[in-house]
Amino acid sequence: MRALLVVNPKATTTSGRTRDVLIHALRSDLKLDVAETRYRGHARDLARQAAVEDGVDLVVALGGDGTVNEVVNGLLSHGPAERLPRLAVVPGGSTNVFARALGLPNDPVEATSILLDAVEQGRERAIGLGKAMTEGLPDRWFTFTAGLGFDAGVVGRVEEQRRSGRRSTHALYVNQAVRHYITEREHRRKGPIHLEINGEESVPGLVMAIVSNTSPWTFLGNRPVVPSPSASFDTDLDVFGITRMTAFGTARTVRQILRSHSPANGPTGPVGPRGKHVVSYHDVRHFTLVSQEPAPFQVDGDHLGDRSRVSFTGVRRALRVIV
């Protein structure tokens, strides 16, 4: 099997020595080409080229969720097709939501072992993805989440901190979420975002809207954060929103999100967040988020600026993954 390994050399949790070990292991079973990313969007360009080349069977992304998202968008530059190379992921970022949602361990060496076993046995699955469409940007595929409003604002603050030299950690996200909550007093009580779903009455006043393509939404260390526990790679998209963020109500919702779980996981307990200021929809194919003023927008943890209108579509069986 001919494979292209796309390596982010700045990935948070993999050293050069670890990458060398992983490359050696992959070359033992694959005809492997290796390409390191040199600029933002380079992983997308590499995957786009692999998608049109004859003979590339597999593209492996070694990096965090941002690298994976770029690779996916490169592979799907011209839309889903059966002839596309398969995707595989070796987690190398700080959180690795997509890889962990696929059931891979967070350790890159262990994940590589599972990947090679999957290649040998021919294990793969078709997964659904989300697509976000907004004026001024190319259509953007996402693997696990997108968001408009408060959560995307937190992502933007974290990116600012990272540009100033801070390392991406879970503590940094928590710190910036608290700071963002304190500074966003006006929008906490009456949000500017409307949710529009065909055949449904518009839902106004959302402070934030989280779109999930799978569950969990993210992790705090090893603890899953689950606003939409029924979200799945096998269904369309789920939407979770909050219309008011009081101190008491927000604390209660955060507790519920941290205690939620996917029904497929088995344990009994709360299915998902509930409350008069909580909005949730499951398995929705098409919908639009409209903000009365430009609001922060993120896709797979990548802040894409402020937007007033974003349309979403769930696309089932969009890509085949070796896992």
Side-chain angles (χ1 to χ4, degrees):
M1 179 180 284
R2 183 183 170 198
L4 171 67
L5 175 65
V6 178
V7 179
N8 178 2
K10 297 182 179 179
T12 307
T13 59
T14 51
S15 65
R17 186 172 183 177
T18 301
R19 289 192 292 272
D20 289 342
V21 171
L22 298 177
I23 290 170
H24 179 75
L26 291 169
R27 278 195 167 133
S28 66
D29 283 12
L30 300 169
K31 184 180 178 182
L32 189 70
D33 295 319
V34 180
E36 289 194 352
T37 59
R38 299 190 300 271
Y39 54 84
R40 183 168 181 168
H42 194 192
R44 178 198 60 225
D45 296 341
L46 292 166
R48 180 191 295 124
Q49 182 62 33
V52 299
E53 285 185 6
D54 290 332
V56 179
D57 305 298
L58 174 67
V59 176
V60 184
L62 170 53
D65 289 308
T67 302
V68 174
N69 181 273
E70 287 192 16
V71 168
V72 166
N73 276 274
L75 288 173
L76 295 174
S77 293
H78 301 291
E82 180 60 31
R83 62 170 181 79
L84 287 177
R86 277 31 177 176
L87 171 70
V89 179
V90 177
S94 59
T95 308
N96 307 304
V97 179
F98 178 64
R100 294 162 81 177
L102 286 171
L104 292 170
N106 204 30
D107 180 83
V109 176
E110 293 180 25
T112 299
S113 176
I114 290 175
L115 164 60
L116 292 174
D117 184 62
V119 169
E120 182 179 355
Q121 297 187 23
R123 289 199 314 267
E124 63 177 56
R125 64 178 291 193
I127 64 166
L129 297 172
K131 185 188 249 188
M133 296 147 283
T134 185
E135 185 177 354
L137 289 176
D139 293 353
R140 185 73 172 257
W141 295 90
F142 57 95
T143 62
F144 63 95
T145 191
L148 190 69
F150 183 88
D151 77 298
V154 174
V155 170
R157 293 178 70 111
V158 169
E159 288 195 3
E160 287 180 5
Q161 293 294 311
R162 294 185 67 182
R163 284 193 293 268
S164 67
R166 294 284 298 278
R167 186 170 178 268
S168 178
T169 63
H170 299 294
L172 177 61
Y173 275 89
V174 172
N175 178 271
Q176 293 305 311
V178 172
R179 289 176 178 269
H180 196 54
Y181 180 84
I182 293 171
T183 57
E184 288 293 304
R185 294 184 178 182
E186 180 182 351
H187 288 161
R188 291 204 317 249
R189 295 187 175 275
K190 187 177 182 181
I193 301 168
H194 290 237
L195 169 62
E196 298 179 352
I197 301 176
N198 290 341
E200 302 274 354
E201 186 175 347
S202 174
V203 180
L206 296 177
V207 178
M208 70 173 181
I210 294 172
V211 182
S212 292
N213 183 54
T214 188
S215 183
W217 168 52
T218 189
F219 291 85
L220 283 176
N222 290 321
R223 180 186 288 270
V225 182
V226 188
S228 298
S230 297
S232 165
F233 290 126
D234 299 320
T235 63
D236 289 318
L237 303 173
D238 282 29
V239 188
F240 168 83
I242 298 177
T243 58
R244 191 175 182 183
M245 295 182 70
T246 63
F248 175 79
T250 302
R252 181 180 60 187
T253 302
V254 168
R255 286 197 302 271
Q256 291 176 336
I257 288 173
L258 291 174
R259 293 174 181 172
S260 297
H261 65 87
S262 170
N265 291 340
T268 58
V271 174
R274 296 290 185 268
K276 66 178 181 179
H277 298 302
V278 172
V279 174
S280 63
Y281 288 85
H282 171 57
D283 196 14
V284 186
R285 180 156 296 181
H286 304 288
F287 58 93
T288 300
L289 296 173
V290 182
S291 182
Q292 295 172 333
E293 57 189 69
F297 172 50
Q298 66 89 12
V299 165
D300 280 352
D302 185 12
H303 186 261
L304 299 180
D306 292 351
R307 301 289 154 180
S308 297
R309 183 182 185 92
V310 187
S311 294
F312 296 89
T313 297
V315 182
R316 299 195 185 193
R317 302 181 64 83
L319 196 62
R320 301 197 73 85
V321 180
I322 303 293
V323 67

